[in-house]
Amino acid sequence: MAPCWRNKGMDITTKAQLPAATLYYDGRCSICTKEMGRLGRLKTDDLSLVDIHELAADPELPDTETLLRTLHLRKANGTLLTGVDANVTAWSYTRIGPLFKWMQWPLIAPIFSFFYARWARWRYERLYDAACPPRGGSNHAS
């Protein structure tokens, strides 16, 4: 006999009340913020959108700089997806998700990944490299 999970009109569940996936985005990037606005209006509750700049420390995630360099999506099982795969998976939590699947087709995926990587690098450099001191620079005053 199957257990009864309803009690006095309330649903009782043993499943954690966590989203199936979490997408980490750069809230200081106007392009990213606009995209998250569109995604946020269409997504189901199974996807959580988290601004990297408001993220609490999480030892299971890469460092902030790595998160800012490319889109990351963490699935409920802990698997991290990046770039095009993270984007396509995020959109799969909307009714228009199937329209994005072709970006992962074997002959097309490397092309999209190449252009996404170039765009992500340009976006990061435009927003952060100019504001950051050069790596390996001197720490003493002249």
Side-chain angles (χ1 to χ4, degrees):
M1 175 181 216
C4 179
W5 298 108
R6 292 189 183 270
N7 186 10
K8 298 183 183 179
M10 298 185 327
D11 286 332
I12 300 172
T13 180
T14 57
K15 183 178 176 183
Q17 298 298 317
L18 297 173
T22 303
L23 184 68
Y24 302 96
Y25 71 95
D26 185 355
R28 294 182 186 165
C29 168
S30 62
I31 296 169
C32 304
T33 303
K34 286 178 187 174
E35 183 76 3
M36 292 306 111
R38 282 188 286 275
L39 180 58
R41 287 188 297 277
L42 298 173
K43 73 175 187 65
T44 67
D45 290 340
D46 290 332
L47 177 66
S48 177
L49 305 177
V50 175
D51 182 345
I52 296 163
H53 301 286
E54 297 175 7
L55 183 62
D58 186 340
E60 295 182 18
L61 288 174
D63 61 88
T64 301
E65 181 180 349
T66 300
L67 289 171
L68 289 171
R69 287 183 175 274
T70 189
L71 194 63
H72 285 73
L73 181 136
R74 180 168 52 181
K75 296 169 85 175
N77 67 5
T79 302
L80 268 179
L81 303 176
T82 59
V84 174
D85 290 333
N87 193 17
V88 171
T89 301
W91 282 98
S92 75
Y93 290 95
T94 71
R95 68 182 181 279
I96 63 171
L99 298 175
F100 291 83
K101 291 301 284 179
W102 64 275
M103 292 179 189
Q104 292 178 313
W105 290 353
L107 294 176
I108 295 172
I111 297 166
F112 265 93
S113 293
F114 172 79
F115 283 107
Y116 174 82
R118 290 185 58 111
W119 177 85
R121 187 173 351 132
W122 169 83
R123 185 201 69 80
Y124 182 84
E125 290 171 355
R126 182 178 64 90
L127 290 173
Y128 297 103
D129 277 355
C132 298
R135 293 179 192 225
S138 173
N139 289 335
H140 65 278
S142 348

